Amino acid sequence: RFNYVRELAGSLLFDIHDSIRDLPGSTPARKILVDRALKYLDNLSAEAGDRSDLQRELAAAYEKVGDVQGNPRYANLGDTAGAIASYRKALRLRAALADHVGANFQDRVALTATYEKLAFGLGATNNFRAELQTLQSAYPIAERLAAGQKGNPHAQEAFAAASFAMAQCLADMGDL
């Protein structure tokens, strides 16, 4: 049952939603898919336990839901508050993975990206202080990744993205 629900949630989000995303008049159907997927994801999250592979899947799915709900950088359903809530769920999962003793490079890169998505959502609500605080959590992680892996373009990209997001937020706050 658990694996069936896991597969269904993934299918709703990644297959069905993506196939109707650009259809004119599909917004009500996209909203229904997101609502159902969230219900499935919340149930899965309650049963996930300490399985890292499942936590990674859930975090990615919550981020996808957040993007569809209200990521200000993409076409979305206009539900910024819902997006922020979904990004917070993803962040809790990502933070647990990155804090784990066996955390890998990808877990830390994904954590910085999730912080940034949450920050963009907060910025879209003009909550620039919360946006800045969120980015201040991502920045040192990305900075350590870049310093520790100077030859890794993914580490450098993560640091550049965190730096750019921080600069953009400070500019939005009038701190040029």
Side-chain angles (χ1 to χ4, degrees), residues 73 116 119-120 131 135 160-170:
R73 306 219 165 187
E116 290 163 19
F120 297 148
E131 179 184 15
L135 291 170
S163 299
F164 182 77
M166 181 87 73
Q168 193 170 29
C169 177
L170 290 167

Side-chain angles (χ1 to χ4, degrees), residues 88-148:
R88 287 184 198 273
K89 290 175 184 179
L91 185 62
R92 278 192 294 277
L93 292 163
R94 296 269 190 221
L97 287 165
D99 286 343
H100 191 267
V101 173
N104 62 36
F105 170 79
Q106 288 297 358
D107 289 332
R108 291 187 177 98
V109 169
L111 177 61
T112 63
T114 304
Y115 271 121
E116 290 163 19
K117 286 186 175 197
L118 174 58
F120 297 148
L122 293 166
T125 65
N126 294 324
N127 190 347
F128 298 121
R129 288 197 192 289
E131 179 184 15
L132 182 60
Q133 289 173 334
T134 302
L135 291 170
Q136 287 170 333
S137 295
Y139 187 87
I141 299 166
E143 186 176 39
R144 281 191 302 273
L145 288 171

